[in-house]
Amino acid sequence: MIVEAVRFALSGISANKMRSVLTTLGIVIGISAVITLLAVGAGTSNMIKDQIGKLGTNVLTVNRAIGTGGRTTGGSATGTRTQSTNLTLADQHSLEDPILAPDIATTAPVVQTQSVTATLGSSTHSITSTLGTSPSYFGITNFTIAVGRLLDDADAGQPVVVLGNSVAIDLASNVSTLVGQTVSLNGQNFTVAGVLAPKGTSGLNDPDDVAMVSYATAQDKFTGYSPSLSSIQVQAKSADVMTQAQNEIQQILDARHNVTSANRDYQVRNQAQVLSTATTTTQTLTILLSAVAGISLLVGGIGVMNIMLVTVTERTREIGIRKAIGATRGNIVMQFLIESLIISILGGIVGIVIGFGASSFTIAGIHPEVQWWTVWLSVLVSAGIGLVFGIYPANKAAKLRPIDALRYE
């Protein structure tokens, strides 16, 4: 029975090849769009995780909150703050207290200088960010060395610099030759200790467009002897204690700055929270885009139903003859339902192939990743479309009375 129904369905499809191809087109577009968009969503999520991972492992960043909080008067926090309290080296050292901050592994001070130009011979490069920090900063932020060495404690106050990969490439075609050379930073001579391994661009920012010197050197050469820090980098002991580490930071700095949660003069950025927010946003956008692609599947399903109704009308006399010689209602339903299924599944298969092809290209810097569950889902959805949108035409065909069908012109 099934074999016979399949044979009848295939003969009906092959009799109108162009119409069948156009009917499957809506299913093809819908399935390929769903697979491609879900692959782009997965690729985007992976890219975000990778980029945030490049910024450091288990990292929290403490920044000044300029223009917010309360104003300290007579030892109490009142009113509205007009200027933020500075973050200081004392603040950074207080976060390394093993009693008050047991979940913090290490910290690093950061002072940042803009508008620094590096010069080597006739080559120049305007550095996006020049940082003064401590050796612990490299481990916290996952910076590794490509050639040469990183900063160490002996470099404190010395004119020694570690260059980011983007800076090094602009200054010399072979970055390994830079180690030991003298580079001018805003007219001041520095010895290149090493060149950092590339991290790759992160959205609109280039984490490789940096130069790093010791904190004391930055004060001496660029910022002056100001006690203010641009930020404090903090590394928690593990990803599982990020929240505890953040709470410890807030408790220590609240006491030191005489503020509360309502008027803090600093901000703590938790990388885990940033990742969670970015991932949630990406998932929401992926769902919305997939819903749009799903609309094309719905349109394709309606197209299948429309063509099947036309097919039933065209083959009314055939249906009458089959019922007259003994075909049951179930035989007729199976015949047209299988024809609808074949059209939908063929469209689904072609859509999957096109989806895989489209996902093999890099889209706006994103490498789409096809997830196998989307393939199986696409097969089930295309089969479901064939069933749902084929039932009504099949039932209509099965309900035809043989005498009326035979009289149909």
Side-chain angles (χ1 to χ4, degrees):
M1 296 281 292
I2 295 178
V3 173
E4 187 72 11
V6 170
R7 187 177 67 81
F8 271 107
L10 291 174
S11 64
I13 293 172
S14 60
N16 298 279
K17 294 184 179 65
M18 182 56 67
R19 188 172 71 184
S20 300
V21 169
L22 293 176
T23 303
T24 61
L25 194 57
I27 307 296
V28 170
I29 293 172
I31 292 294
S32 60
V34 168
I35 288 179
T36 302
L37 289 174
L38 288 175
V40 170
T44 303
S45 180
N46 291 337
M47 184 184 72
I48 291 172
K49 291 177 182 178
D50 183 57
Q51 289 179 349
I52 292 177
K54 289 177 182 178
L55 300 177
T57 306
N58 309 334
V59 176
L60 300 104
T61 303
V62 184
N63 294 302
R64 295 171 60 197
I66 297 175
T68 63
R71 176 167 44 83
T72 306
T73 305
S76 61
T78 61
T80 302
R81 181 175 300 280
T82 57
Q83 185 176 1
S84 172
T85 302
N86 293 328
L87 294 171
T88 65
L89 277 177
D91 289 332
Q92 180 237 328
H93 293 317
S94 70
L95 299 180
E96 295 182 335
D97 189 320
I99 304 301
L100 296 178
D103 295 304
I104 293 176
T106 187
T107 66
V110 177
V111 289
Q112 187 169 3
T113 304
Q114 307 292 341
S115 303
V116 173
T117 300
T119 305
L120 178 64
S122 60
S123 301
T124 61
H125 179 88
S126 181
I127 304 172
T128 300
S129 181
T130 303
L131 304 179
T133 186
S134 64
S136 59
Y137 178 84
F138 298 96
I140 294 173
T141 55
N142 283 347
F143 274 106
T144 57
I145 201 72
V147 292
R149 64 175 179 85
L150 297 171
L151 297 176
D152 56 33
D153 293 332
D155 295 319
Q158 301 300 313
V160 177
V161 64
V162 173
L163 299 177
N165 192 261
S166 296
V167 181
I169 289 174
D170 266 7
L171 295 180
S173 56
N174 185 358
V175 298
S176 61
T177 62
L178 284 172
V179 177
Q181 291 200 47
T182 299
V183 173
S184 173
L185 300 180
N186 280 3
Q188 303 180 81
N189 290 334
F190 283 77
T191 301
V192 178
V195 177
L196 297 170
K199 282 191 173 188
T201 57
S202 176
L204 298 176
N205 299 318
D206 183 2
D208 298 320
D209 195 1
V210 295
M212 299 184 187
V213 300
S214 73
Y215 173 74
T217 302
Q219 284 186 315
D220 183 30
K221 303 291 186 180
F222 301 117
T223 66
Y225 290 93
S226 168
S228 176
L229 300 178
S230 301
S231 64
I232 301 172
Q233 293 291 322
V234 180
Q235 185 176 46
K237 289 186 175 179
S238 72
D240 297 330
V241 296
M242 291 283 282
T243 301
Q244 294 93 310
Q246 181 172 346
N247 292 336
E248 292 161 8
I249 292 170
Q250 292 170 337
Q251 289 172 3
I252 293 171
L253 294 184
D254 282 355
R256 288 185 57 81
H257 292 200
N258 196 23
V259 295
T260 67
S261 59
N263 62 354
R264 285 185 177 128
D265 55 2
Y266 63 90
Q267 299 171 346
V268 181
R269 187 179 65 187
N270 188 328
Q271 296 284 62
Q273 293 174 348
V274 173
L275 176 60
S276 176
T277 301
T279 301
T280 301
T281 302
T282 302
Q283 290 174 345
T284 302
L285 289 175
T286 301
I287 290 171
L288 290 175
L289 290 173
S290 299
V292 173
I295 293 174
S296 65
L297 275 176
L298 178 62
V299 174
I302 294 172
V304 171
M305 179 185 288
N306 181 51
I307 292 302
M308 292 307 300
L309 287 172
V310 172
T311 300
V312 169
T313 302
E314 289 178 345
R315 297 164 67 178
T316 300
R317 287 180 61 83
E318 175 192 325
I319 294 169
I321 293 170
R322 291 196 65 199
K323 296 192 77 170
I325 61 176
T328 64
R329 179 173 177 176
N331 298 143
I332 304 300
V333 168
M334 185 178 296
Q335 174 186 344
F336 288 95
L337 203 55
I338 287 178
E339 185 170 338
S340 174
L341 270 172
I342 290 174
I343 290 174
S344 298
I345 292 176
L346 284 176
I349 293 172
V350 174
I352 289 170
V353 172
I354 293 175
F356 265 94
S359 300
S360 63
F361 296 96
T362 299
I363 302 172
I366 299 170
H367 301 283
E369 180 184 333
V370 177
Q371 298 171 300
W372 281 103
W373 67 267
T374 62
V375 176
W376 296 114
L377 178 63
S378 298
V379 173
L380 292 175
V381 167
S382 57
I385 287 173
L387 286 172
V388 171
F389 290 95
I391 286 175
Y392 176 71
N395 274 329
K396 182 179 180 182
K399 289 179 180 178
L400 289 174
R401 296 174 58 195
I403 188 66
D404 294 331
L406 288 170
R407 287 177 178 171
Y408 182 81
E409 294 294 338

